[in-house]
Amino acid sequence: MTPLREELNQCHIVLTVNADPSSFLVIYFVVTLAVKVSEVKMTKLVRVCNLARGKKLIISSGDYEQFLRSVKTKFQVETDNDIILEDDHGTEVDEEVFPILLDQGIIPAITFKIVGEDAASDGSYTPQCQQIYYINSPAPISPQSPATPASPQGEDYFKQALESYIERKPDLKELVSNCNAERLVDSAAATKLINDFVSVLIDLRGDLPSTSDQLRFAKAIIEIIPCWKYPDSIDGIDILYDTVNRSGLIQTRLRWIHRNVKEKNPLKSLKRPVASGAGAPISNKQDGHVQIAADDIAIAELNSSLPEDEVRRLMIQTLEHRNYLRGTNENSVLRVYRKFLECGFLINFEFQLMFPANAAKFLDTWETLREQILTNCKRISKSTALHKFINDNAGNWDRSTGALLALLYLIPRQRMGEGKSGTPLQSILDTWDSDISQPTLVYLGDDKTNPSTFFIICDKLALPLNASNSTEAIDSLFKAHYVIGTKYDQNLDGLWKFMQIHVFQLDIQNTTLPRKAKQVLQQLSSLSESN
């Protein structure tokens, strides 16, 4: 019993003997209230999280052992399991520090780990880096974006969607039946059919369906209305989708919709914070942001089906407009130039157009730097968390990713990343926070030491990467900041500035490198010279 409670209880005894009933009731209420206030002041809310189990608020009185028991109860952890507490900087919180942490003016945030449990062993968002996901997937899969939502691929999916739509529209069902019976689609019928069908395509794939989706959609229409098939081509879709002249009915209808929507109700631009200030990713911006008009014809051609050499030519032709978008925040580069969603080489190609002298620096130097980090990191830092990662977890990853995560222990982030264990790619896209403007790298494979497929997610869109290993993928992740035109994640600012200055050697004079990043750079250089 606390001294305060003893004193108040003694007061209560005296009152019951000497006071009249009316005064006793009043004083007893005051005494009881004082006890309650004392109890409230002794408790504190603590925000607790675990990467695999989520977040909870837990009340603590300052008793360390009792708090550990509460954490285990709330998160359904076996009582015989040992847990370790860390603050939001990854520093261990022990019994001596815990009550001091509670006395701070803000609600403390604590992460707990179960001793012996690898939070990322089953394929998860890594706790060290908020811009890297790993998804256990034994075979490469194709991600879907809002423009291409999750669905079975191919015309079968479109055929099912069209048949379902037709079934709900009696007049349309009758029209399709008549066309097939008469083996003819006249002009009036074609107008009605294409208007309705394209509305289905937009519902499924958004306002800007990809060229491959348009092609598959045309094939699905031919299966439903065989008499619409063009006889002088293999697929018979030329009337609906013309790969040469782009004059097919589907393409023409989409252009009409885009033109009228733009005139009557301009689409809201997807804006992001302009990358500016010391150390922000830079681009070849126009001086004074002189307006560069979009070349609508070139952009439309670029977003259609083209061979790779034509894509490269048109990317060069339209580079100034993308630089303008990156410099002015007028619209998202990815929303205007949809080819980034189809061509895995475009991130690297665009960066090479922007910084031709710096494009190969990461691939030329990272292998050496990677080995320096993995060899010397335990000598540079005595962090318990770092040593545990190197000893227990680094071997679960390929060496490039392991080195990047080790570097994050050497250049600490501002807060712990959060993620979902075993999160499917489509779930990541569906639940993506629209406020996140930074690119995020997604690994896929059945072994974290040898991931097989890579994507970058940004603006709720998935961009394929022509990367054969994680080194090439990390190279593209850094470059994507510049290509998209966004600031670094503030929690990874030190890491990316280290890469910017030491590896890519970009904007060195105008970038302020954090002290910790400078220290790590000096230590790695010194140790490499002594070896």
Side-chain angles (χ1 to χ4, degrees):
M1 182 177 295
T2 65
L4 176 60
R5 183 182 288 277
E6 270 187 32
E7 181 180 340
L8 291 172
N9 282 348
Q10 290 169 3
C11 179
H12 168 64
I13 293 171
V14 172
L15 288 171
T16 57
V17 173
N18 300 316
D20 63 80
S22 60
S23 62
F24 164 69
L25 290 174
V26 174
I27 299 175
Y28 177 80
F29 172 75
V30 174
V31 171
T32 305
L33 181 60
V35 174
K36 293 298 183 183
V37 170
S38 172
E39 289 176 343
V40 171
K41 286 183 177 179
M42 293 169 62
T43 62
K44 181 87 175 190
L45 277 177
V46 183
R47 182 177 292 108
V48 184
C49 78
N50 177 272
L51 294 171
R53 294 169 172 81
K55 299 178 182 178
K56 294 182 185 293
L57 284 172
I58 295 179
I59 297 175
S60 174
S61 63
D63 186 314
Y64 183 74
E65 292 299 329
Q66 178 59 46
F67 182 74
L68 294 181
R69 288 194 292 270
S70 297
V71 170
K72 291 180 181 180
T73 300
K74 284 275 189 177
F75 286 90
Q76 299 180 341
V77 177
E78 294 293 335
T79 55
D80 56 347
N81 284 341
D82 293 328
I83 62 176
I84 298 172
L85 305 182
E86 294 180 354
D87 67 6
D88 53 2
H89 291 272
T91 306
E92 185 173 347
V93 177
D94 59 18
E95 186 172 3
E96 181 181 3
V97 173
F98 181 70
I100 299 174
L101 186 65
L102 291 190
D103 285 340
Q104 306 300 311
I106 60 174
I107 297 177
I110 290 180
T111 298
F112 80 89
K113 297 179 180 178
I114 300 175
V115 176
E117 178 179 271
D118 179 7
S121 63
D122 58 351
S124 64
Y125 182 23
T126 72
Q128 289 79 21
C129 184
Q130 299 178 80
Q131 287 181 256
I132 293 181
Y133 279 81
Y134 176 82
I135 300 173
N136 191 300
S137 175
I141 61 173
S142 176
Q144 310 300 325
S145 67
T148 55
S151 65
Q153 296 300 304
E155 53 267 23
D156 285 347
Y157 168 69
F158 289 121
K159 181 183 177 183
Q160 292 173 13
L162 283 170
E163 288 175 338
S164 175
Y165 180 81
I166 292 169
E167 195 65 30
R168 297 195 305 270
K169 303 281 186 179
D171 58 334
L172 189 62
K173 183 178 181 180
E174 183 181 358
L175 179 59
V176 170
S177 177
N178 290 339
C179 289
N180 284 329
E182 298 174 7
R183 301 184 58 80
L184 174 67
V185 180
D186 59 28
S187 298
T191 300
K192 168 65 176 172
L193 291 169
I194 209 64
N195 289 352
D196 280 327
F197 288 170
V198 169
S199 71
V200 174
L201 176 61
I202 290 175
D203 286 342
L204 295 172
R205 294 306 201 225
D207 293 333
L208 294 169
S210 68
T211 53
S212 58
D213 280 337
Q214 293 179 47
L215 188 147
R216 288 194 292 267
F217 192 71
K219 291 180 179 179
I221 293 175
I222 293 300
E223 287 196 37
I224 293 172
I225 310 177
C227 61
W228 221 345
K229 185 174 183 178
Y230 182 69
D232 290 339
S233 67
I234 296 175
D235 294 327
I237 62 171
D238 295 49
I239 294 174
L240 299 171
Y241 185 84
D242 187 340
T243 57
V244 178
N245 299 314
R246 305 203 322 275
S247 59
L249 292 176
I250 293 173
Q251 296 151 304
T252 303
R253 177 62 180 172
L254 286 171
R255 280 197 298 270
W256 184 91
I257 291 172
H258 296 159
R259 184 170 59 251
N260 281 270
V261 169
K262 187 175 181 180
E263 290 174 356
K264 297 178 181 179
N265 186 24
L267 290 174
K268 181 181 179 182
S269 297
L270 179 62
K271 297 190 175 184
R272 62 177 75 254
V274 177
S276 60
I282 54 177
S283 62
N284 297 334
K285 299 172 184 176
Q286 302 298 314
D287 294 336
H289 302 318
V290 177
Q291 185 169 6
I292 305 295
D295 186 339
D296 292 335
I297 296 177
I299 293 173
E301 184 179 358
L302 179 59
N303 288 336
S304 65
S305 296
L306 291 172
E308 183 174 316
D309 58 341
E310 278 297 291
V311 171
R312 292 176 183 271
R313 180 185 67 81
L314 288 167
M315 288 292 287
I316 295 172
Q317 180 179 327
T318 53
L319 176 63
E320 286 191 4
H321 180 244
R322 289 192 300 283
N323 286 338
Y324 170 73
L325 294 180
R326 285 185 281 259
T328 61
N329 186 29
E330 184 177 285
N331 204 345
S332 164
V333 170
L334 301 182
R335 297 288 181 180
V336 178
Y337 291 87
R338 310 286 291 186
K339 213 64 178 177
F340 281 103
L341 310 183
E342 300 178 25
C343 299
F345 68 89
L346 277 187
I347 293 287
N348 291 340
F349 181 70
E350 180 83 341
F351 189 87
Q352 186 173 20
L353 293 179
M354 298 165 69
F355 307 105
N358 308 82
K361 289 189 177 295
F362 183 88
L363 297 182
D364 289 344
T365 61
W366 176 246
E367 184 173 347
T368 300
L369 179 58
R370 175 189 72 192
E371 298 307 315
Q372 290 176 356
I373 293 169
L374 292 174
T375 301
N376 298 309
C377 62
K378 291 169 69 174
R379 297 177 62 187
I380 292 175
S381 172
K382 302 303 181 184
S383 162
T384 303
L386 169 63
H387 284 238
K388 177 175 173 55
F389 172 74
I390 294 298
N391 294 335
D392 300 340
N393 298 330
N396 296 331
W397 297 91
D398 65 277
R399 293 188 70 78
S400 284
T401 306
L404 183 70
L405 299 179
L407 188 58
L408 270 168
Y409 282 103
L410 299 176
I411 308 174
R413 57 213 178 277
Q414 293 184 24
R415 61 182 173 88
M416 180 71 72
E418 300 166 6
K420 301 176 182 178
S421 176
T423 305
L425 181 56
Q426 187 58 41
S427 294
I428 295 174
L429 288 169
D430 291 342
T431 60
W432 195 254
D433 185 348
S434 58
D435 291 333
I436 297 176
S437 62
Q438 288 77 26
T440 296
L441 179 61
V442 176
Y443 291 13
L444 293 94
D446 56 0
D447 182 359
K448 283 192 287 187
T449 62
N450 187 29
S452 57
T453 309
F454 306 88
F455 297 94
I456 281 178
I457 295 179
C458 191
D459 297 344
K460 295 192 77 172
L461 302 170
L463 286 63
L465 291 180
N466 286 358
S468 58
N469 53 58
S470 63
T471 299
E472 294 177 3
I474 294 169
D475 174 53
S476 297
L477 175 61
F478 176 87
K479 292 173 178 178
H481 291 85
Y482 289 78
V483 172
I484 295 165
T486 187
K487 291 182 177 181
Y488 300 135
D489 185 320
Q490 63 177 356
N491 300 295
L492 302 175
D493 187 69
L495 170 73
W496 293 130
K497 285 182 178 177
F498 178 92
M499 293 289 192
Q500 175 189 329
I501 299 300
H502 182 54
V503 180
F504 285 89
Q505 300 177 7
L506 286 167
D507 199 29
I508 296 175
Q509 299 302 319
N510 298 318
T511 302
T512 302
L513 198 61
R515 179 193 58 80
K516 190 63 178 178
K518 290 180 180 179
Q519 182 179 335
V520 170
L521 178 56
Q522 180 274 322
Q523 291 167 328
L524 286 174
S525 300
S526 177
L527 289 172
S528 63
E529 290 173 2
S530 64
N531 291 336

